[in-house]
Amino acid sequence: MPGNPNEIKLVNNAMSNATRRKIMNFLTDGDRSTEEIGDSVGKSMLDFHLKLLQQASLIELGEGTVRLSEYGRNFLKDKEEKDSGKSADLSQAKPVDIVEVRQLLPCIADSSKFRVIANLAPPLGGTLKVLEPLFPRGRYSDRINALIMQKGEIITTIYGTGKVTMTMIKNEGEAREALGNLRSTINEAIAKGVAPAPREKVRVEPMELYKYLPQTNCGKCGEQSCYTFAIKLMSGETSLDKCTPLNEPKYATNQEHLQVLSAYI
Ligand code: SF4
């Protein structure tokens, strides 16, 4: 059963990909053949996804069959309990306000646009997850405890700590209007409950990820170029932590943005 930091990293990496999460959920009803899994989640890279889940001790592979391991079953049960605990918290949430727009900086991906950093108070902490269904293109990321929303070009991220970032903003007026709408939507949900919006699929292109990578083609991730790394990130064949240059302070914002985009992969 995973316990040491390396094993926990394998589990986090395995569960960071949407296809692998779908496979895990598909297995909750019982053992499945690899063919059934392929029909349900898609056959592309299926062997690779199964291998990563097996390496993380989440599943067991037999002769053409796949089952959840005992650890995998307990892992999903714990996750479900944590998630339902979070939903219960919305009733405790207080109305929020945007207390401060702290910074307006040029966007990394397009210097003619701005990246806004603001503050929302009181912080919503774990209750953010409950708000995900409010936004057609909203995704909650457990990894960074943040709710990420895409509308047109603008990506807004609310962190559990209260920090809010917005990218591809034209000017301060647009930022204030978008933040005001966000506050109204959240406060209405706190007052009246969450009315789920129809879900919309968000597709992230490799070029979008590439824009935020260091673009030095240094090879430290084991790939020949940053663009190849972006393609493999999309297909779930690699993970963001393999690009170690991103840990350098000068890439802190790039790393933050890539973590946000990863929620849509
Ligand atoms: S380690 Fe990062 S910077 Fe280096 S090639 Fe890979 S993606 Fe590019």
Side-chain angles (χ1 to χ4, degrees):
M1 177 180 290
N4 73 40
N6 280 342
E7 289 166 341
I8 291 168
K9 206 167 161 187
L10 281 178
V11 173
N12 286 340
N13 186 32
M15 292 303 288
S16 67
N17 176 273
T19 304
R20 295 196 283 273
R21 289 195 295 273
K22 275 189 209 156
I23 294 172
M24 288 294 286
N25 289 331
F26 190 58
L27 290 170
T28 51
D29 290 337
D31 301 2
R32 300 284 187 166
S33 67
T34 43
E35 196 154 332
E36 285 175 308
I37 297 174
D39 289 343
S40 169
V41 306
K43 293 188 168 64
S44 165
M45 313 280 308
L46 184 58
D47 287 348
F48 172 78
H49 291 309
L50 292 174
K51 190 98 201 134
L52 281 198
L53 290 168
Q54 185 193 32
Q55 280 171 355
S57 306
L58 290 161
I59 61 166
E60 291 165 357
L61 299 179
E63 281 293 316
T65 57
V66 186
R67 69 170 56 166
L68 283 178
S69 66
E70 194 186 335
Y71 173 73
R73 202 167 286 285
N74 288 335
F75 176 88
L76 288 181
K77 199 165 154 239
D78 284 355
K79 191 171 178 310
E80 200 181 319
E81 279 170 11
K82 273 189 207 154
D83 289 352
S84 63
K86 278 170 187 164
S87 351
D89 283 341
L90 188 61
S91 59
Q92 312 294 324
K94 294 198 171 68
V96 296
D97 203 359
I98 307 292
V99 290
E100 200 187 355
V101 177
R102 282 188 281 145
Q103 286 183 63
L104 216 58
L105 303 163
C107 249
I108 302 166
D110 178 348
S111 58
S112 69
K113 304 271 174 63
F114 294 95
R115 175 173 186 265
V116 174
I117 302 176
N119 227 25
L120 179 144
L124 286 160
T127 55
L128 274 176
K129 183 176 173 61
V130 191
L131 301 175
E132 184 190 79
L134 282 175
F135 304 95
R137 294 175 165 217
R139 298 288 180 277
Y140 175 76
S141 166
D142 252 326
R143 247 184 176 188
I144 54 174
N145 183 22
L147 177 61
I148 298 136
M149 293 147 283
Q150 192 199 43
K151 194 171 181 192
E153 275 190 328
I154 300 173
I155 293 184
T156 304
T157 309
I158 310 176
Y159 292 85
T161 55
K163 177 179 164 186
V164 181
T165 63
M166 295 180 120
T167 56
M168 304 296 274
I169 291 284
K170 283 191 214 125
N171 50 46
E172 189 168 346
E174 185 180 56
R176 290 198 180 276
E177 189 185 333
L179 287 165
N181 291 340
L182 187 63
R183 181 190 52 202
S184 306
T185 308
I186 293 173
N187 285 342
E188 198 174 318
I190 289 173
K192 299 182 188 164
V194 174
R199 310 301 291 155
E200 284 177 23
K201 207 170 162 53
V202 181
R203 180 149 175 79
V204 176
E205 299 295 336
M207 185 49 88
E208 210 173 339
L209 297 172
Y210 173 75
K211 277 189 224 161
Y212 296 96
L213 288 169
Q215 301 181 16
T216 56
N217 302 325
C218 71
K220 286 182 184 161
C221 56
E223 307 303 335
Q224 284 188 340
S225 70
C226 296
Y227 192 68
T228 310
F229 180 78
I231 292 172
K232 293 205 171 174
L233 207 52
M234 280 291 310
S235 62
E237 285 176 85
T238 191
S239 54
L240 203 52
D241 58 356
K242 299 257 167 49
C243 175
T244 50
L246 281 174
N247 295 328
E248 293 171 30
K250 65 179 174 181
Y251 293 125
T253 307
N254 301 53
Q255 189 179 46
E256 184 184 319
H257 202 82
L258 283 162
Q259 281 172 339
V260 164
L261 289 174
S262 298
Y264 288 116
I265 295 173

